[in-house]
Amino acid sequence: MSMPIDARAAGLRDRLRGSLAAAALTPMTPAGEVDLDVAEEYFLRLVASGAGALAVLAHTGRGPFLPAAVRGGLIVRARRAGVPVIVGVGSSEDGAIADARMAAELGADGVLVFPEPGDRVALHEAVWSAAGLPIIAFDLYTDPCPPATLHRILSLPGVAGLKTALLSDAMGCQETIALTREAGRLAITGEDRMFAPSLLWGAQAALVGIAAASVETTAAVMRAYEGEDLRGFEKASARLDRLAAATFTAPMEGYVQRMAWLAAAEGLVPEEHAHDPYGPALPDGERAKVLAAVP
């Protein structure tokens, strides 16, 4: 049963329908330094490659680790790309509220609320009340949200959609997509390892870390799905699955560094800014394995 929705949230829902949002990296040096000019050029290249929206400061962008001045600068630079900008907010309720207010002040189009311990419904209500920005809720494999709680979140007027990223839980992914659509919100896949199936299960848009590089590989699956070429969809999905298997694998936190390697190999970021100082050390030979999976 469709739930009442605020006009601002409905507007973002409709703008994002059918689009691919890249969960962008934050280009960094080994010491964690960020050059905003490098970041802006990276954002522009993602859009030129086929991203219809940008999600900045999310998990892929290591938002919770960055100081406020850098976070603000990244939002400003992302907005120059001319597509909807979704800003990751969270790490605590107070942090989510402060981040959302800054995102609103800097002209972001919406916020992606990180899953946090505690009352998730109250968290989403507080973010909406404080900033008035449309919300993308987030069901993440590290702390899946019970269906009853998801239903309550989806009933909030400020929620435009819900991203599911349950990694290997096909049943959970299917249920979350169904709940989201029944509530009249946008069902957004964040399933890098179940991308094509999640489209078949009803996802209406995508917000994925695998589009932090090789954007066209992901976009090709969405285009093929919208068309009538079943064989083309199968081939595009197989290409994406090979890339996902090499990048979204144990240790899972290493995916940020793997995507940074891809971004550097594709010329999206300079080599010296293709580092994730917050992720785990990866074994020798890992980079070559990742690059060998590029279609």
Side-chain angles (χ1 to χ4, degrees), residues 37-52:
D37 290 336
V38 170
E40 181 177 344
E41 186 61 28
Y42 166 62
F43 297 149
L44 292 170
R45 287 173 176 169
L46 288 177
V47 173
S49 299

Side-chain angles (χ1 to χ4, degrees), residues 12 15-16 19-25 39-58 74-88 108-112 136 206-208 211-212 215:
L12 182 63
R15 287 178 71 193
L16 294 180
S19 70
L20 169 62
L25 299 159
E40 181 177 344
E41 186 61 28
Y42 166 62
F43 297 149
L44 292 170
R45 287 173 176 169
L46 288 177
V47 173
S49 299
L54 294 172
V56 299
L57 303 174
L74 289 166
I75 295 169
V76 170
R77 298 306 183 96
R79 288 193 64 234
R80 295 179 183 176
V83 296
V85 173
I86 311 301
V87 177
D109 297 277
V111 292
L112 174 72
I136 303 298
L207 195 168
V208 283
V215 179

Side-chain angles (χ1 to χ4, degrees), residues 158-223:
V159 172
L162 190 151
K163 166 180 169 169
T164 175
L166 296 177
L167 189 63
S168 60
D169 183 357
M171 292 172 63
C173 178
Q174 290 173 323
E175 184 170 16
T176 297
I177 289 171
L179 283 171
T180 304
R181 293 187 60 137
E182 288 168 5
R185 272 42 175 196
L186 189 68
I188 304 169
T189 181
E191 302 290 358
D192 305 271
R193 291 299 300 266
M194 296 191 293
F195 190 83
S198 67
L199 295 177
L200 294 169
W201 296 332
Q204 301 157 300
L207 195 168
V208 283
I210 202 164
S214 296
V215 179
E216 170 58 22
T217 305
T218 309
V221 180
M222 296 186 72
R223 286 198 307 271

Side-chain angles (χ1 to χ4, degrees), residues 212-238:
S214 296
V215 179
E216 170 58 22
T217 305
T218 309
V221 180
M222 296 186 72
R223 286 198 307 271
Y225 176 70
E226 293 167 359
E228 298 181 356
D229 181 5
L230 178 60
R231 182 63 65 188
F233 177 63
E234 179 188 13
K235 290 180 178 179
S237 299

